[in-house]
Amino acid sequence: MSSTHSPPSVSIQHPCLGATLLGVRYEREGVALAQFRGVKYATVTRRWGRPEGVRGLEGREGREGLQVGEGEGREFGPVCPQNHVDIRRLLRISDKYEDEIEKEDELNCTNLVVTLPGEALKVGDGRKLPVMIWIHGGSQVVSFGSPASRCCDPSLLVATSVKLGKPMIVVSPNYRLNIFAFGARTGEKNLALQDQRCAIDWVVEHIGGFGGDKNNITLAGSSAGGVYVHAHTFLGAPIQRAILMSGSLYLSPPQPTERNEAFLAPLEKLVYEDSGKSLEEAPTESLLKGLKSLNVNSMWLRETPELKDWRDRMEDVEVLMVGDVEYESILWHNGLAALPYADVHSLTSGLHPSLAEEYKLHPSSTSPPHLSALSLISTHLFHHPTYRIAARSRPKKPTYQYLIDEPNPFSPASRAHHGVDLIYLFGGYDLSEWPEAEGVGKEMRAAWVRFVSEEEPWDPEGCMAFGPGGKCAVLDLKGEEWKERRKGKAIDLMGEHEGVPGVVGGLVRGRISLDN
């Protein structure tokens, strides 16, 4: 959502923040909305410092020397410093869609945006609205859809909720990324998770002042955002529901000390050569330069006692939604396509023969091995975890499983690839030329609104299929159609044979890119 224009102002006297917040009011599809931008939810005073939650704004100096109550809320806040990626490339979006270059600030990126129905600001019947907190993705290194971007602008989702008579609020936090979230050898680590937890706690404490219900919170995220959301379900976050979209801890499990040291040592050397300073003291630019030199396109959470046994625990939420898209492994396409066929066969030689046959990953096969390997990656890192998480959760709590097979209308040959869920859910790009794709987006938004509003989005015993051909229907998880779409036989085999994680690890290591 662009901030170059000057939309009308809206203000709210927030009781527990002790300030009058100034925001913007605007319309989306004829629905009046309000948005409060750049709202500080935590204070960070030094690199890798623990975030301290903001309890109130009264008397704190804001932009241009104004009191925060007079000035904060109309401008989007800065994001964490990062090596930029053009998100239009992965999303196959035309260059005519252009987001503004966002400000960056390592110590001031802990800010959020609150998007809500305009009616929520009026004195009414005292009804409190459900809240969705959106955690953006970006391989834990970039902001793939910040609150200011068209990609993850929640305006249409909130407008849809109003039209359906189920108004909701969306809160979109920025947080620390890449090395600035990773931490040093000692001290604080996993600072992205810490920042996000501060944002969640801020919502619990302060969303009532915006008309939201602190006891009705859904935490949602896609890709790396889904990884973070999954982690929070094991860390005692005060949320009631969770949505894991194309991402879970199975995609990016917390890593032990050995891998962390293998990453930090060469980065430390490069940064010192460039700046003569340590990682703690070097300028931001030197750290980013070091990351780029090492071709760091993704990062990971660090293993902690709280996360060490996550595989053996149940997600601690009342209701769960989990799903994936058909071609998740597009992220590794270029990296694998560059390998000789013989190298791909060598990397996959450890597969059990039954799986090698299922994926045509043997030297006698006529199928291009990198395409077969990509199919294996999609199943192991995304489709199998979706099924596994849902199957484990379903007997204990309401659990909703989905899949997206509607291809990207901007590039149908790219299929329903990783990231296409953002095009459909947020509707930030004009799909009116493609009625089937536009219809899928409408169905998804309506389903997400129902879920956030404590209603059944679809029959929990089945799997909701969004597309292809604009068709949206619930599939029988024991039926042939679901098994065909998500390689049900392979999913069963993966539960029976060891060795798959090692094979997939060898295929993906160092080959991911958001520029695919």
Side-chain angles (χ1 to χ4, degrees), residues 432-484:
S432 59
E433 292 183 43
W434 306 281
E436 292 177 346
E438 187 175 43
V440 166
K442 290 179 179 178
E443 289 285 346
M444 277 189 65
R445 287 188 291 278
W448 264 241
V449 168
R450 290 195 296 272
F451 181 86
V452 172
S453 300
E454 299 183 282
E455 299 180 9
E456 281 196 355
W458 55 80
D459 181 355
E461 295 304 312
C463 175
M464 184 64 179
F466 295 98
K471 181 182 178 182
C472 300
V474 177
L475 305 181
D476 181 353
L477 285 162
K478 297 180 180 178
E480 291 304 313
E481 184 174 356
W482 179 83
K483 291 180 180 179
E484 182 178 344

Side-chain angles (χ1 to χ4, degrees), residues 284-301:
T284 299
E285 295 75 14
S286 289
L287 271 67
L288 294 178
K289 184 178 177 180
L291 292 175
K292 191 168 186 178
S293 296
L294 293 172
N295 196 33
V296 176
N297 294 319
S298 67
M299 291 186 69
W300 56 89
L301 294 174

Side-chain angles (χ1 to χ4, degrees), residues 90-92 406-412 414-417 420 423-424:
L90 179 62
L91 296 181
R92 276 53 177 166
E406 188 69 32
N408 186 337
F410 295 98
S411 178
S414 300
R415 299 149 53 187
H417 61 79
V420 79
I423 294 176
Y424 293 129

Side-chain angles (χ1 to χ4, degrees), residues 326 358-359 375 379 383 403 405 475-491:
E326 181 256 330
E358 180 70 18
Y359 286 96
S375 180
T379 306
H383 302 161
L403 59 84
D405 281 358
L475 305 181
D476 181 353
L477 285 162
K478 297 180 180 178
E480 291 304 313
E481 184 174 356
W482 179 83
K483 291 180 180 179
E484 182 178 344
R485 291 209 203 183
R486 285 300 180 269
K487 283 191 171 290
K489 181 180 178 181
I491 285 176

Side-chain angles (χ1 to χ4, degrees), residues 188-205:
E188 300 297 330
K189 55 178 70 74
N190 293 338
L191 289 155
L193 282 179
Q194 292 195 37
D195 291 349
Q196 294 156 14
R197 179 56 184 267
C198 273
I200 296 168
D201 292 342
W202 185 95
V203 170
V204 170
E205 186 170 355

Side-chain angles (χ1 to χ4, degrees), residues 212-489:
D213 186 350
K214 68 177 183 179
N215 296 312
N216 193 352
I217 296 174
T218 299
L219 189 64
S222 179
S223 191
V227 175
Y228 289 131
V229 171
H230 200 200
H232 284 296
T233 68
F234 300 113
L235 296 174
I239 58 175
Q240 286 68 52
R241 283 169 301 285
I243 304 178
L244 312 181
M245 300 170 59
S246 293
S248 71
L249 288 174
Y250 290 99
L251 168 62
S252 181
Q255 296 297 304
T257 301
E258 296 76 26
R259 185 178 182 194
N260 302 330
E261 176 59 28
F263 161 69
L264 285 170
L267 179 62
E268 192 171 52
K269 181 175 183 293
L270 285 172
V271 169
Y272 186 80
E273 289 173 353
D274 180 68
S275 67
K277 295 182 181 296
S278 67
L279 293 179
E280 290 87 345
E281 298 174 338
T284 299
E285 295 75 14
S286 289
L287 271 67
L288 294 178
K289 184 178 177 180
L291 292 175
K292 191 168 186 178
S293 296
L294 293 172
N295 196 33
V296 176
N297 294 319
S298 67
M299 291 186 69
W300 56 89
L301 294 174
R302 298 167 71 171
E303 195 173 73
T304 62
E306 296 81 6
L307 287 173
K308 197 165 187 179
D309 61 347
W310 66 270
R311 295 175 191 269
D312 302 321
R313 294 157 58 193
M314 179 72 68
E315 292 78 11
D316 186 15
V317 287
E318 297 171 11
V319 191
L320 182 66
M321 182 194 291
V322 58
D324 51 57
V325 304
E326 181 256 330
Y327 184 21
E328 297 280 15
S329 57
I330 193 173
L331 296 169
W332 294 274
H333 176 274
N334 292 351
L336 285 178
L339 291 178
Y341 283 9
D343 288 1
V344 179
H345 284 305
S346 177
L347 286 167
T348 56
S349 61
L351 279 180
H352 189 275
S354 59
L355 279 169
E357 177 61 32
E358 180 70 18
Y359 286 96
K360 309 302 179 189
L361 278 167
H362 45 74
S364 62
S365 174
T366 57
S367 300
H370 71 282
L371 297 182
S372 299
L374 287 169
S375 180
L376 172 68
I377 292 167
S378 285
T379 306
H380 178 67
L381 294 182
F382 298 91
H383 302 161
H384 184 211
T386 293
Y387 177 80
R388 183 175 180 177
I389 291 169
R392 181 179 63 184
S393 175
R394 194 173 284 114
K396 304 292 185 180
K397 67 189 70 173
T399 302
Y400 301 92
Q401 184 177 343
Y402 73 87
L403 59 84
I404 299 174
D405 281 358
E406 188 69 32
N408 186 337
F410 295 98
S411 178
S414 300
R415 299 149 53 187
H417 61 79
H418 189 83
V420 79
D421 51 350
L422 304 178
I423 294 176
Y424 293 129
L425 180 62
F426 291 103
Y429 306 99
D430 183 12
L431 301 182
S432 59
E433 292 183 43
W434 306 281
E436 292 177 346
E438 187 175 43
V440 166
K442 290 179 179 178
E443 289 285 346
M444 277 189 65
R445 287 188 291 278
W448 264 241
V449 168
R450 290 195 296 272
F451 181 86
V452 172
S453 300
E454 299 183 282
E455 299 180 9
E456 281 196 355
W458 55 80
D459 181 355
E461 295 304 312
C463 175
M464 184 64 179
F466 295 98
K471 181 182 178 182
C472 300
V474 177
L475 305 181
D476 181 353
L477 285 162
K478 297 180 180 178
E480 291 304 313
E481 184 174 356
W482 179 83
K483 291 180 180 179
E484 182 178 344
R485 291 209 203 183
R486 285 300 180 269
K487 283 191 171 290
K489 181 180 178 181

Side-chain angles (χ1 to χ4, degrees), residues 158-176:
V158 175
T160 298
S161 74
V162 175
K163 286 185 173 184
L164 293 174
K166 310 175 196 302
M168 60 186 270
I169 296 172
V170 176
V171 178
S172 312
N174 287 312
Y175 53 88
R176 279 174 285 181

